Amino acid sequence: MSLALETLAQSTVPTGEVVTFWILAPIALACALGMVLARNAVHSALFLVVTMLCLGVFYMVQAGPFLGFVQIIVYTGAIMMLFLFVLMLVGRDSAEAVIEVLRGQRIAAVVLGGGLAALLGTGAVRALRATTATGLEAANADGNVQAIAQLLFTRYVFAFEVTSALLITAAVGAMVLAHVTRPKAERVGQTARMLARFAPGGSPAPKPGPGVFATSNSIATPALLPDGTPAERSISAVVPTRDLTPEEAAPKGTQGNQEGQQ
Amino acid sequence: MTQADGLADFGHDPWWLILAKVLAVFVFLLLMTIFAIWYERRVVGRMQVRPGPNRNGPFGLLQSLADGLKLIFKEEIIPRTADRVVYFLAPVISGVCAFTAFAVIPFGPTVSIFGHRSPLQLADLPVAVLVVLACSSIGVYGIVLAGWASGSTYPLLGALRSSAQMISYEVAMGLSIVAVFMTAGTMSTSEIVAAQADAQRLVLFGQEITIPGWYAVLLIPSFLIYFISAVGETNRAPFDLPEAESELVGGFHTEYSSMKFMMFYLAEYINMITISGLCVTLFLGGWHAPWPLTLWSGANSGWLPLVWFTAKLLLLLFVFVWLRGTLPRLRYDQFMRLGWKVLLPVNLAWIVMLAGIKVIQRESLDGSVRTTIIAGVAVVLLLVVTLWPAAKEPEPMLGMPDPAGRIGGADGFPLPPLDLQVPPSPRAMPTPVPATAADTGSDGAEDSTGEEA
């Protein structure tokens, strides 16, 4: 660690990098706070997107253009988009509940969060203590992309493959749990459906909708058949049947029946 | 930022030159958009045997300008249920991302501008192609947020469709570019153009043949997949499901009006231009002149390549319009199946094959090893073809209609023909006319006995 710090102290940071840092770092921090504090789930996700974009720019400025753009494409573009996809389906007005369900939940969360950060921090410091920084020039000697590719496919190829296998397992597992397979026998094809429609008991034409040729346009009012009797199957089984009030049952003012209005 | 050797020309411009280039790209995109709208309407009009816009200016060229001005001065309507901040942000995100992506497209070679040697390209990076992908993936946010912030059903459905579509097709598009990276050995746009400059020599079955350097020829599968997914990525017909007028009114921008609507419209056309520009850069040799023109040595120097680039761009835009004029819109599930079950596996197989070819072509490889690899691949392919499970026979249908064409006897309805063959009309058959029908011949001229009355 001390060696790395010395190397850092010796090198001068370009002005452009400093300016970028002091503009984007406050934005990234503010958006990180906004993500935690925002009541609306979509706003929260958007704050996180801005923080991720800022991180991507930081990577680019620190001579890691590939990592920066991959951060933007993969995390911001794909993963956060999927989050947003789900959040939008939840409904736009569903705000976070403010009531504390478990007693002391917040304090516990703060303590545990701080503990995790400290654990990760000390772990990183201890692991990097003896590491000597080679510097960007040496790391990017053959080009940034080539250097990453070489490390990824030689030294870290096992870790890389294991991680991808883990992710694929997770994806397949989610598919297996969520996907409902219908047995082949249960599937009804277009031809079978049509045959059933034309068989005795079926109806080749579309069924009458509720309120059609009836005195009301309510979905609870059955359609009238040509002989004047109500067609019960025009009403959905879900809709509760109820008696209409005399006003509702009275003929409405249509073109041929104006006296119903008065 | 450290730069590779091939990008030595970049990063030395004075500030006024950078500003001038930014302005030039901006103006180019605006003019191209105005032109592309007119071009599309004229070409579609021609395909539908009608003139298209022809009143404002020569050949109706000023029509899109007039439309744009009218749009600016229209009343702005914001729905009461809209999330105001996000509603305002969405078109801005769309527009900014669309403009940014074009910064890395090379227009031409290095030229002299007021005494400065500078390439005709705003910026280049070792990972320039990823900039375009990043911009398009951030651009999706504009569409999704527009749909969500409108607080209305149709825009939300359009936005959901759009995000699913763009994410799916971005995967196919990104993979189709991988083959270009593998062949060119770089991700920088100017270097990819340079790699396509010369004709390539290929040793095939012991014979040396010369093929053009364009990757559209060398990597045909990648080119086709790129173009199909580009149409999906830009939400153009036949993949314009997010704004399917007959199903979703206007899709994500149903609730937008005036300037904000114009921003989406602009972004859609600029995206189309950017995607076409990237296609020209990656597959069609960039700003290099096409074959017969290369015989003239001055074709690839100076400012002239700007013309070749724009001509190729317009040609690709024509294909976009052609597709719109020809193909009906796909159903959503068919569209997703095409993306995930056809384009993606084909792409992966092609990349693996290309990597194999590159390994075999390596000169350090021993002759016997090369023969063994080729034979092994051939045996595996043969095994896969022979052992591939055959398609199942369709099961015989139950309850088929009787010879009279009815199902369920006399109680059933006459069944329409299943094979869509129109059966011979019973009236056309020479049957004796019943005596009762002749008596009531007055009630229908269509009746076979009508002429007697």
Side-chain angles (χ1 to χ4, degrees), chain B residues 102-433:
Chain B
F102 216 75
V104 293
I105 305 288
F107 286 87
T110 306
V111 293
S112 173
I113 305 171
F114 297 119
H116 281 276
R117 301 282 302 163
S118 177
L120 281 177
Q121 182 179 3
L122 178 54
D124 202 359
L125 291 170
V127 290
V129 178
L130 296 189
V131 176
V132 181
L133 289 183
C135 283
S136 74
S137 70
I138 298 296
V140 188
Y141 275 96
I143 290 172
V144 169
L145 292 180
W148 177 79
S150 295
S152 169
T153 311
Y154 285 129
L156 184 69
L157 290 176
L160 285 176
R161 276 190 181 190
S162 176
S163 57
Q165 171 171 345
M166 292 179 94
I167 291 172
S168 312
Y169 275 68
E170 207 169 78
V171 176
M173 199 166 114
L175 275 178
S176 67
I177 298 176
V178 167
V180 175
F181 294 159
M182 281 165 63
T183 317
T186 173
M187 283 195 244
S188 124
T189 43
S190 63
E191 288 173 9
I192 289 175
V193 170
Q196 295 177 69
D198 304 316
Q200 311 238 338
R201 301 200 182 286
L202 191 73
V203 180
L204 204 65
F205 304 117
Q207 290 201 336
E208 190 173 299
I209 48 171
T210 313
I211 45 175
W214 290 9
Y215 291 150
V217 181
L218 277 179
L219 312 168
I220 293 176
S222 291
F223 175 62
L224 293 178
I225 291 170
Y226 176 87
F227 200 80
I228 293 172
S229 48
V231 177
E233 177 84 9
T234 48
N235 295 338
R236 292 280 307 181
F239 301 148
D240 56 345
L241 301 143
E243 39 195 290
E245 287 90 352
S246 48
E247 301 159 27
L248 292 171
V249 192
F252 61 90
H253 56 54
T254 305
E255 304 287 356
Y256 277 85
S257 50
S258 187
M259 274 292 275
K260 297 195 176 76
F261 173 74
M262 198 177 80
M263 210 64 183
F264 282 122
Y265 209 73
L266 193 66
E268 187 190 325
Y269 274 86
I270 293 179
N271 277 337
M272 201 162 85
I273 295 167
T274 307
I275 291 285
S276 305
L278 189 67
C279 188
V280 169
T281 304
L282 293 181
F283 293 104
L284 298 177
W287 43 261
H288 287 295
W291 170 67
L293 290 166
T294 46
L295 299 177
W296 169 42
S297 58
N300 281 332
S301 58
W303 291 81
L304 210 54
L306 264 177
V307 179
W308 315 140
F309 179 80
T310 315
K312 288 177 190 175
L313 197 64
L314 288 180
L315 198 71
L316 280 180
L317 287 182
F318 174 79
V319 178
F320 270 100
V321 179
W322 190 9
L323 287 178
R324 184 193 149 182
T326 311
L327 297 174
R329 186 181 298 131
L330 260 75
R331 218 172 58 204
Y332 194 72
D333 58 328
Q334 294 170 335
F335 174 70
M336 280 294 160
R337 192 182 305 147
L338 175 71
W340 287 104
K341 293 192 177 171
V342 179
L343 294 186
L344 209 60
V346 168
N347 216 332
L348 286 174
W350 161 241
I351 290 173
V352 170
M353 206 177 100
L354 188 70
I357 291 174
K358 292 221 172 285
V359 168
I360 288 174
Q361 276 182 341
R362 202 180 288 164
E363 269 138 27
S364 61
L365 208 63
D366 194 24
S368 59
V369 178
R370 187 175 298 170
T371 321
T372 319
I373 292 176
I374 295 175
V377 169
V379 166
V380 168
L381 275 182
L382 208 68
L383 279 179
V384 166
V385 168
T386 44
L387 296 181
W388 195 265
K392 255 190 198 167
E393 292 283 319
E395 284 177 25
M397 197 69 67
L398 295 172
M400 284 304 280
D402 55 14
R406 283 169 187 266
I407 181 166
D411 296 336
F413 293 95
L415 196 72
L418 290 178
D419 52 358
L420 299 182
Q421 289 290 319
V422 180
S425 167
R427 292 191 193 129
M429 291 179 187
T431 46
V433 179

Side-chain angles (χ1 to χ4, degrees), chain A residues 43 69 76 80 85 92 194 204, chain B residues 81 83 131 141 163 413 418:
Chain A
H43 291 170
F69 279 109
T76 323
M80 278 313 292
F85 199 95
R92 61 189 301 274
M194 198 192 68
Chain B
T81 48
D83 186 319
V131 176
Y141 275 96
S163 57
F413 293 95
L418 290 178

Side-chain angles (χ1 to χ4, degrees), chain A residues 4-71:
Chain A
L5 279 178
E6 273 168 31
T7 333
L8 264 184
Q10 279 162 13
S11 62
T12 51
V13 184
T15 326
E17 196 176 326
V18 174
V19 172
T20 316
F21 178 80
W22 285 112
I23 291 175
L24 287 184
I27 296 179
L29 263 185
C31 288
L33 281 177
M35 182 232 148
V36 179
L37 297 176
R39 286 271 169 263
N40 191 315
V42 171
H43 291 170
S44 188
L46 287 181
F47 279 125
L48 186 58
V49 166
V50 177
T51 309
M52 283 178 166
L53 279 179
C54 291
L55 278 182
V57 176
F58 285 148
Y59 291 144
M60 288 174 216
V61 167
Q62 293 175 344
F66 182 74
L67 194 59
F69 279 109
V70 166
Q71 157 93 10

